[in-house]
Amino acid sequence: MNKSFNLLFYVKRSKTNAEGLAPVYLRITIDGLRSSKRYINPDKWNTNAQKLTGNNKDTESINTYLKTLEHQVYDVHRDMIERKLLITAPNLKDRLLGGKPSPGKMLVPIFQEHNRQVAVLIGKEYAKGTLDRYETSLKHTQAFLQWKFNSSDIDIRAIDHEFIMAYDFYLRSERSCNNNSTVKYLKNFKKIILICIANGWLDRDPFVKYKPKVKEVKRAFLKR
């Protein structure tokens, strides 16, 4: 999924050391990331230009370092997009430091395990029709992943509002589902998301701003 991405260098004056030097931080805005490698004279920092003012060798060295770091971040960010990796601040930091993005829970196995448990409880807590609906929802979800991402699965942390809206569009356009069917399939999908949230695998609900409603269907009755 596409994420907003922004870089900002700033001086942390509250951490000025005994020599009067303050650290320069790089804030990467995805989920939030801060890193610092250089201390500078805060009075020489140009906030608008995002660099130190002056012409001496130390100033030029620090400015070159900051610009190089900025380029490295953009290069890693672009590479993660091209590889279709989950882009979060921790994962971006890991790759900058030469590591691999931390693994997360994948959607399809969670969905499959949910359906397995429903199958076990048929006749006790669920009807056979309920399992059929969840199995159909899983098939639609897998087909959507192929259609949208050319992938058989996805890290649940990559599921956001954009994902939900794209899934809604897919069901209406590619699967020709009417409004009520679309809402019901996404309601089934939301149960999987709530399981992820309850287990601490997902820290926000991507359905918060998704507010479609089931429309009342008027039926005509024959008069005797």
Side-chain angles (χ1 to χ4, degrees), residues 16 41 46 48 70 73 75-76 86 117 119 122-123 126 133 135 164 170 173-176 179 201 205-206:
T16 301
N41 182 341
N46 186 321
N48 293 329
E70 181 181 17
V73 173
D75 286 344
V76 170
L86 176 66
Q117 292 183 16
I122 289 177
Y126 299 101
R133 288 192 290 274
E135 290 288 3
I164 302 303
Y170 167 81
S173 60
E174 298 296 315
R175 306 302 301 185
S176 299
N179 177 76
W201 303 330
D205 183 0

Side-chain angles (χ1 to χ4, degrees), residues 90-215:
N91 284 352
L92 182 55
K93 182 179 179 180
D94 287 342
R95 293 190 72 83
L96 280 170
L97 298 177
K100 296 181 179 179
S102 57
K105 291 283 187 177
M106 302 303 286
L107 172 63
V108 172
I110 297 172
F111 211 141
Q112 291 172 333
E113 174 59 19
H114 166 270
N115 290 3
R116 186 193 69 79
Q117 292 183 16
V118 171
V120 171
L121 295 174
I122 289 177
K124 299 177 181 179
E125 295 184 19
Y126 299 101
K128 177 63 166 58
T130 301
L131 175 61
D132 292 341
R133 288 192 290 274
Y134 278 118
E135 290 288 3
T136 301
S137 293
L138 173 57
K139 290 178 181 178
H140 283 329
T141 300
Q142 292 173 303
F144 167 68
L145 292 175
Q146 287 289 347
W147 176 78
K148 179 68 175 178
F149 306 107
N150 193 30
S151 176
S152 61
D153 208 347
I154 190 171
D155 189 317
I156 60 171
R157 296 171 298 177
I159 299 174
D160 55 12
H161 178 71
E162 181 185 351
F163 180 102
I164 302 303
M165 296 308 298
Y167 193 5
D168 180 288
F169 175 77
Y170 167 81
L171 290 171
R172 296 174 191 271
S173 60
E174 298 296 315
R175 306 302 301 185
S176 299
C177 294
N178 61 30
N179 177 76
N180 289 1
S181 294
T182 298
V183 173
K184 289 177 181 177
Y185 284 131
L186 280 165
K187 182 180 179 181
N188 292 340
F189 183 74
K190 183 176 181 179
K191 184 180 179 183
I192 307 304
I193 295 300
L194 292 177
I195 290 172
C196 295
I197 294 173
N199 282 291
W201 303 330
L202 197 60
D203 59 7
R204 76 277 186 274
D205 183 0
F207 278 91
V208 169
K209 295 183 180 180
Y210 181 75
K211 305 294 182 182
K213 295 181 179 180
V214 174
K215 297 178 180 178

Side-chain angles (χ1 to χ4, degrees), residues 24-54:
V24 180
Y25 280 77
L26 169 60
R27 177 182 290 134
I28 301 175
T29 305
I30 300 173
D31 295 319
L33 168 65
R34 298 177 182 182
S35 178
S36 178
K37 292 282 187 175
R38 294 290 185 272
Y39 277 78
I40 65 165
N41 182 341
D43 294 332
K44 293 185 178 181
W45 180 252
N46 186 321
T47 301
N48 293 329
Q50 295 283 282
K51 65 179 183 179
L52 285 172
T53 57

